[in-house]
Amino acid sequence: LALRVYREYDPDVVVGIATAGVIPAVVIADILQVDFYSLKITRRSIGGQPELLSSAPPQAMGQRVLLVDELTTSGDTMRLGLATLRDVRPLEIRTAACFCRPQGFQPDFHALVTDALIIFPWDRKVIEDGELVVHPTYRGMVKDGEF
């Protein structure tokens, strides 16, 4: 994904959508040797609509920005991120995601288009009652000993 971005775009900063988009965004920023910032958006509220929890980084003003998330489906989270970043008047914004859905929002850059279930290593397990267990979202979809 970083190589695809490098070949077509020269961002000054990378902004990752927290929480899961921060991980690929940090890696991309490091590979491209540019500064990284985050923008916190959540879908944990009732109805699953994205909710903004932080303001856009002021360092994006006048800069070429790459907005990164781990996965795009409807594009609601990415659109909210774009609207928020526009508030600080960047020079340009492009979007990137590790994965996107064939019929969903298509970012400017992506690594793979798929309808498959995607479980990221950093999102697979959580701690419950002091034990590391399969994330409740994925219970029944994967066995505890898999991958």
Side-chain angles (χ1 to χ4, degrees):
L1 182 57
L3 193 54
R4 286 183 180 182
V5 171
Y6 173 79
R7 289 178 178 152
E8 295 181 35
Y9 188 51
D10 186 22
D12 300 306
V13 299
V14 172
V15 175
I17 296 177
T19 56
V22 165
I23 295 167
V26 166
V27 172
I28 291 168
D30 189 53
I31 291 170
L32 297 176
Q33 301 175 54
V34 299
D35 289 335
F36 164 80
Y37 302 96
S38 66
L39 177 63
K40 189 159 185 177
I41 298 174
T42 186
R43 281 186 167 267
R44 292 192 178 153
S45 61
I46 296 172
Q49 292 300 311
E51 180 182 346
L52 184 65
L53 299 178
S54 71
S55 57
Q59 297 88 345
M61 185 185 342
Q63 303 294 312
R64 289 182 308 273
V65 177
L66 180 67
L67 179 62
V68 179
D69 207 354
E70 88 285 13
L71 170 71
T72 61
T73 52
S74 68
D76 292 344
T77 301
M78 193 68 83
R79 285 185 190 95
L80 181 55
L82 285 165
T84 303
L85 279 168
R86 286 184 185 117
D87 289 342
V88 297
R89 298 183 318 276
L91 182 63
E92 182 179 6
I93 309 170
R94 294 206 192 165
T95 58
C98 297
F99 301 95
C100 59
R101 303 295 185 202
Q103 282 72 43
F105 177 88
Q106 298 298 304
D108 297 303
F109 305 98
H110 63 274
L112 183 66
V113 177
T114 182
D115 273 328
L117 172 66
I118 299 165
I119 303 173
F120 294 93
W122 57 83
D123 195 35
R124 186 177 178 279
K125 292 197 173 188
V126 295
I127 296 175
E128 286 184 357
D129 299 322
E131 298 291 323
L132 198 57
V133 298
V134 171
H135 194 290
T137 303
Y138 307 121
R139 288 185 189 146
M141 296 180 200
V142 297
K143 295 179 184 165
D144 196 28
E146 287 183 355
F147 69 113

